[in-house]
Amino acid sequence: MTNTTTKYIFVTGGVSSSLGKGIIAASLAKLLQSQGYRTTIQKLDPYINIDPGTLNPYEHGECYVTDDGAETDLDLGHYERFLNVPTSQANNVTTGRIYQSVIDKERRGEFLGKTVQVIPHITDEIKHRIQILGKSGEYDIILTEIGGTVGDIESLPYVEAVRQLKWELGNENALVIHLTLIPYLSAAGELKTKPTQHSVKTLMESGVQADILVCRTEHELNDGIRTKLARFCNVKKESVIQSIDASTIYDVPNMMLEEGLDKVVLNQLQLEAHTPDLTSWNNFTEKLKNPKSDIVIGLIGKYVELQDSYKSILEAFIHAGAANEVRVKVVSIHSEFLDVQNVKLKIENLDGVLVAPGFGERGIEGKIEAIRYVREHNIPFFGICLGMQMAVIEFSRNVLNLHKANSSEMDELTPFPVIDLMEAQKLITKKGGTMRLGSWECNLLENSKVATIYNKNIIHERHRHRYEFNNDFKDQIENSGMLSTGCNPQTGLVEIVEIPSHPWFIGVQYHPEYKSTVANPHPLFLSFIKAALSYKINKQL
């Protein structure tokens, strides 16, 4: 890139929430990255929580964790999966964090007795946060997704900050993409543009003119509708971009390429457009759409009715499935309704089982019953975080005969706390941001299954937990056939357990799903899917 000035693209949403701002932002960023521009994306969330770490998954879906330990919005997972570039604390900003920073400055006397106001103090803090990544010198283009919908009270300070930045940076260095909805009225048989017109008008009332419209629609936008939107919304006709419903989110970059979104953006930012190199991306989508076989994986958790709760796991299955040329059908099984009477019926026809992460005691006995069944019947098993802990409890109860074995999270009085609160957590009373978070080193046992899978002896994976494998029981458990094959070198914390006598039985304390991307599917997911396929083939013989 010849211009040394960092360019900014702001993505706002109108008419309705859940239109897919994160996917559009990630897709555009992918197109820009594939043309040689160093690109990243950040998310501005208008809620007053400091971060989503204490939010119930029913409220906000999955909490995504970065290498530097930030608990962030799940959209950052999309950014990493599309771009294969790690995000950080700087990529996610919340209103809570903005106000906390400003109030802390006021308490320190940094405003010299002045009245602290939304303008300029809050908006200045927002502008500062937006530009942190840009001033690092690492990126040519930064996309900023603004959460919520234009017109929301809580979004107003962000829109005002965008208005100021557009004025300060100049039109050649900043632009606004407005994602909106074009509803189809089946009774009239028509697409309606009026909601988009009102949404653009609302944005303009805050002093921000959308430069590009991306229109979510279930039906093709004809030339007349595009002309009408351009005329009424003050944009060029080529800046009215159709985003029709896709069969998979991984089709969206190519759909935006066909619509010319990247060219319109680069033209306005006075940057040179190149032919995007999407070779590896298209190889992935080709394999995704043309699998050679199918497998069925049971995802066992307590938030299964809300797919966003396990978003990264589901996407990791897609990455690993495509790499193995397998279509992975995921069957969600609510652990609260699993018991010894129905576990066989629910699991016997599956090709593999993943027991999901989580917190609290609800549904854990169902998870334990499922793990017992897959262990005894040699069905491939993958346990993540709480899933790994449940595997240790199940093994302790049913192999070591420690019938009251449990986690001290679930039963403080258990005589066999095979899972216990980490020492570093015992004096902590505040919940937010106090878990073991971010990337930690793990040494793998030589010749173990995981060492073979990773093809290395030292790995770094992301964590989010308070409880850990209790090393007081390590020898007893290992002597009975469950090995600790991955440990943190500083603390001795057991990170990985596996049963060598089982075809594929691995539990990990960390969250491998956070590091799976289109370009680099996670090796554990790759191996698990391969094992599930082998199990299915052998079962049919």
Side-chain angles (χ1 to χ4, degrees), residues 221-263:
L221 300 184
N222 61 37
D223 193 64
I225 287 177
R226 292 181 191 245
T227 301
K228 184 177 181 181
L229 284 168
R231 182 177 297 134
F232 281 97
C233 298
N234 297 339
V235 298
K236 295 178 181 178
K237 186 178 173 184
E238 61 266 28
S239 296
V240 178
I241 305 295
Q242 170 184 283
S243 177
I244 201 160
D245 290 355
S247 59
T248 166
I249 60 172
Y250 299 107
D251 281 339
V252 179
N254 278 308
M255 292 166 67
M256 293 301 99
L257 179 64
E258 289 174 16
E259 284 287 306
L261 176 59
D262 57 316
K263 289 182 180 178

Side-chain angles (χ1 to χ4, degrees), residues 100-159:
Q100 185 183 54
S101 177
V102 171
I103 290 168
D104 286 347
K105 288 178 182 177
E106 187 273 335
R107 291 291 83 187
R108 292 194 299 268
E110 292 186 21
F111 297 124
L112 303 175
K114 290 185 179 294
T115 303
V116 180
Q117 298 175 293
V118 173
I119 303 172
H121 302 100
I122 297 299
T123 50
D124 281 354
E125 184 69 20
I126 292 170
K127 290 191 294 182
H128 166 70
R129 297 297 181 105
I130 287 172
Q131 295 178 93
I132 286 175
L133 289 167
K135 290 177 179 178
S136 71
E138 295 180 27
Y139 303 104
D140 303 317
I141 304 171
I142 293 174
L143 287 86
T144 302
E145 176 193 348
I146 298 176
T149 306
V150 167
D152 295 346
I153 291 173
E154 55 264 37
S155 296
L156 289 175
Y158 292 107
V159 175

Side-chain angles (χ1 to χ4, degrees), residues 250-435:
Y250 299 107
D251 281 339
V252 179
N254 278 308
M255 292 166 67
M256 293 301 99
L257 179 64
E258 289 174 16
E259 284 287 306
L261 176 59
D262 57 316
K263 289 182 180 178
V264 172
V265 165
L266 289 169
N267 181 56
Q268 175 150 339
L269 295 177
Q270 298 181 10
L271 295 173
E272 189 176 351
H274 307 281
T275 302
D277 182 4
L278 294 172
T279 305
S280 61
W281 185 273
N282 290 335
N283 287 339
F284 160 75
T285 56
E286 181 70 18
K287 289 181 179 179
L288 177 63
K289 293 178 179 180
N290 299 285
K292 294 179 179 177
S293 52
D294 298 75
I295 59 170
V296 182
I297 300 294
L299 174 61
I300 299 178
K302 64 178 182 178
Y303 305 115
V304 290
E305 63 270 41
L306 185 67
Q307 296 294 292
D308 276 356
S309 300
Y310 305 116
K311 192 64 178 175
S312 291
I313 291 174
L314 296 173
E315 298 305 317
F317 278 143
I318 291 173
H319 308 154
N324 280 290
E325 297 184 89
V326 173
R327 177 183 288 111
V328 181
K329 180 183 178 184
V330 178
V331 176
S332 299
I333 301 172
H334 203 304
S335 57
E336 203 170 3
F337 305 117
L338 262 180
D339 54 40
V340 69
Q341 280 79 35
N342 65 12
V343 68
K344 181 177 185 292
L345 177 67
K346 297 272 190 180
I347 292 178
E348 65 178 344
N349 294 319
L350 300 175
D351 303 314
V353 166
L354 186 147
V355 175
F359 298 92
E361 63 181 334
R362 183 168 66 90
I364 68 156
E365 293 301 328
K367 292 181 179 181
I368 290 170
E369 281 301 327
I371 294 167
R372 176 175 184 167
Y373 188 89
V374 298
R375 178 180 58 80
E376 292 177 347
H377 291 83
N378 288 329
I379 299 172
F381 165 77
F382 193 4
I384 296 178
C385 199
L386 184 66
M388 173 264 205
Q389 296 175 2
M390 294 301 102
V392 173
I393 293 169
E394 186 280 324
F395 193 84
S396 301
R397 287 183 185 180
N398 299 316
V399 178
L400 276 64
N401 293 316
L402 304 177
H403 297 300
K404 293 187 178 180
N406 213 328
S407 166
S408 56
E409 179 184 8
M410 319 306 172
D411 180 5
E412 293 181 359
L413 302 178
T414 175
F416 308 115
V418 293
I419 303 296
D420 201 7
L421 187 64
M422 302 174 69
E423 280 297 323
Q425 293 286 318
K426 289 184 176 176
L427 297 178
I428 291 174
T429 55
K430 292 184 178 180
K431 298 295 184 188
T434 57
M435 284 184 275

Side-chain angles (χ1 to χ4, degrees), residues 8-12 25 40-44 79 129-131 133 142-147 158 162 165 175 177:
Y8 291 87
I9 300 168
F10 301 99
V11 182
T12 60
T40 191
I41 319 174
Q42 57 190 355
K43 175 77 182 285
L44 307 184
Y79 306 162
R129 297 297 181 105
I130 287 172
Q131 295 178 93
L133 289 167
I142 293 174
L143 287 86
T144 302
E145 176 193 348
I146 298 176
Y158 292 107
V162 169
L165 270 177
L175 63 82
I177 296 174

Side-chain angles (χ1 to χ4, degrees), residues 51 64 67 144 160 164 176 193 197 201 208 283 317 334 390 427 442 474 482:
D51 57 46
Y64 187 81
D67 278 336
T144 302
E160 169 60 19
Q164 293 179 26
V176 173
T193 64
Q197 293 177 47
K201 181 182 177 183
V208 176
N283 287 339
F317 278 143
H334 203 304
M390 294 301 102
L427 297 178
C442 176
K474 183 177 178 182
M482 175 180 275

